[in-house]
Amino acid sequence: MAKKIPTTIKDQDLVAQRRGEIIDVATRLFLERGFHKTSIRDIARACPFNLASLYMYVTSKEDILFLVAQQLIDEKAKAMAAVEMSEDDPAGSFRTALMSYCRIVHRYRPHIRLLYRELDVLSPPRREVVMASLSTVTDVLSRSCERESRRASSPTVEPKLVALNALFLCHLWSLHARALRSITQNIDEFFDLQSNIVLQGLLKRGAECSGGQEVESQASTARRRNNNDIRVILSRRLPVMNGARAFRCDGKFAMGIRRRCLLARARCNTRPRSRRACPCHSAVVC
C-alpha cells in the first residue's frame, strides 16, 4: 500500500484547500503540455502561492499526479458507499450505482483522461492502489448483476465482466466526448442509453438461456424416442444368409447408418439379388 503524501502543514482544512488548487492547475497543465514537459515551477506559477509554499504540500510531480488519483478514489468510495443494495430490485440498485459513477465521471473528466494517459508514471505501489480502486465500483455493480441474473434465470452471465463493461462504458463520456456529441450532450441521457444497453442485454441473455434449454430438452427427448424406435426394429431376429447370421446394430452408430441398414434389409427381402453388405459391419444383412 502506498504511503500518504507528507505535509508540514498541521491545518488539515488548509491542506485540503491548497491541494485541491494544485490538483486543478496541474491536471490542466499535464493535459495541455504532458506530464514530462510540465515542471514544478510551471505549476507554482499558475497557483495562487509561490514555489516554496507548494513544496509544503507535495515533494514531486509524481505526488501531484497521485493526488489527482486519490481525489478520484475518495469520490468513488463515497458514492458507492451511499448506494443501497436492494434484494427485491437488483436492477434498480445497478442503475443507481451506475448513475452515481456516471456523475463522478462527468465531474472528473479531466482527471480520468489524465490517469489513462499518465498512469505508468506512478511507482508500482501507487499504480496498484489506483487499479485496486476500480473494485470499489465493480464490486457494487457485480453484486447487483449477480442478483439480477439469478432473478432473470441467466446463470451463464459473468457478473464481474458485466461490471467491468459498465465501468468502461461510463469512461466513454470522458475519453470520447467529441464522438458522443452527435449522439447526446446530456449526462442523464447518456446514462439512460448505457444502462439500457447493459440491462437489456442481461435480460435478453437470460431469456435466450431459458428458451435454449427448453428447445434442447425437447430435441433430446425426440432423439431418445427415435433411438428407441430404431433399436426395437433392429433388435428383431435377422435372417441367415450363407450360413452366417448378420450382426445387429448395437446403437453405437449414427442414425443415418441405421436407417441405411433398414433400407438395405427391406430391399433384400423383396429382391433377393440385391444383397449388399451392411454399412456398419462386414456381414450381409439380408
Side-chain angles (χ1 to χ4, degrees):
M1 184 70 179
K3 296 180 180 179
K4 291 184 178 180
I5 299 172
T7 177
T8 59
I9 306 299
K10 302 300 182 182
D11 187 350
Q12 295 301 314
D13 292 336
L14 180 60
V15 171
Q17 177 185 345
R18 292 303 189 197
R19 283 183 170 175
E21 295 171 352
I22 294 172
I23 289 171
D24 293 340
V25 171
T27 300
R28 176 174 56 81
L29 292 177
F30 286 157
L31 287 174
E32 290 177 357
R33 306 179 185 179
F35 179 84
H36 296 288
K37 293 183 179 180
T38 304
S39 66
I40 288 284
R41 290 184 179 275
D42 294 333
I43 296 172
R45 290 192 194 100
C47 288
F49 43 85
N50 58 28
L51 181 62
S53 298
L54 186 145
Y55 276 112
M56 295 180 182
Y57 303 100
V58 295
T59 58
S60 65
K61 285 197 301 180
E62 185 185 340
D63 285 349
I64 297 176
L65 184 59
F66 189 59
L67 282 177
V68 175
Q70 275 190 329
Q71 186 179 49
L72 188 59
I73 291 170
D74 293 341
E75 291 297 325
K76 287 191 292 186
K78 292 178 184 177
M80 294 301 105
V83 176
E84 296 183 1
M85 302 297 293
S86 174
E87 293 287 346
D88 299 330
D89 186 17
S93 299
F94 186 92
R95 289 178 62 88
T96 301
L98 194 62
M99 184 62 194
S100 298
Y101 189 66
C102 276
R103 293 192 181 281
I104 291 174
V105 172
H106 178 65
R107 182 179 177 185
Y108 295 99
R109 282 179 292 178
H111 299 63
I112 293 174
R113 287 201 303 271
L114 178 61
L115 289 175
Y116 264 97
R117 182 190 299 179
E118 307 289 357
L119 183 62
D120 290 341
V121 174
L122 295 176
S123 61
R126 286 179 169 179
R127 197 160 56 241
E128 290 178 5
V129 171
V130 177
M131 297 305 297
S133 68
L134 294 177
S135 62
T136 305
V137 181
T138 57
D139 286 349
V140 175
L141 294 176
S142 61
R143 286 199 300 270
S144 301
C145 176
E146 185 176 3
R147 293 171 182 174
E148 178 62 23
S149 63
R150 286 200 303 264
R151 192 180 68 84
S153 300
S154 54
T156 57
V157 173
E158 177 55 50
K160 189 172 182 180
L161 181 60
V162 175
L164 287 171
N165 285 340
L167 185 78
F168 292 111
L169 285 176
C170 292
H171 289 175
L172 288 176
W173 186 253
S174 172
L175 301 175
H176 299 283
R178 291 184 179 180
L180 290 171
R181 287 175 186 171
S182 60
I183 301 174
T184 178
Q185 297 184 11
N186 183 276
I187 184 61
D188 294 328
E189 185 178 356
F190 173 79
F191 161 74
D192 288 335
L193 292 172
Q194 298 290 36
S195 60
N196 288 337
I197 290 173
V198 176
L199 291 176
Q200 287 180 3
L202 182 62
L203 296 177
K204 182 179 179 181
R205 180 68 179 274
E208 289 177 352
C209 288
S210 59
Q213 291 174 356
E214 182 179 354
V215 171
E216 184 178 358
S217 177
Q218 294 176 356
S220 178
T221 302
R223 284 196 300 269
R224 285 198 300 270
R225 290 177 179 174
N226 201 358
N227 286 344
N228 290 335
D229 294 341
I230 297 296
R231 192 175 292 110
V232 168
I233 295 173
L234 292 176
S235 63
R236 296 174 181 175
R237 192 176 186 84
L238 297 177
V240 177
M241 284 295 162
N242 299 328
R245 185 175 302 281
F247 293 102
R248 296 176 182 177
C249 296
D250 56 4
K252 295 182 179 179
F253 301 96
M255 192 67 66
I257 295 177
R258 293 173 178 168
R259 290 195 179 98
R260 287 199 296 272
C261 291
L262 292 177
L263 292 174
R265 180 187 174 190
R267 287 195 296 269
C268 291
N269 286 337
T270 56
R271 298 178 182 179
R273 293 184 179 181
S274 62
R275 297 179 182 178
R276 56 179 293 183
C278 175
C280 305
H281 312 286
S282 60
V284 178
V285 294
C286 298

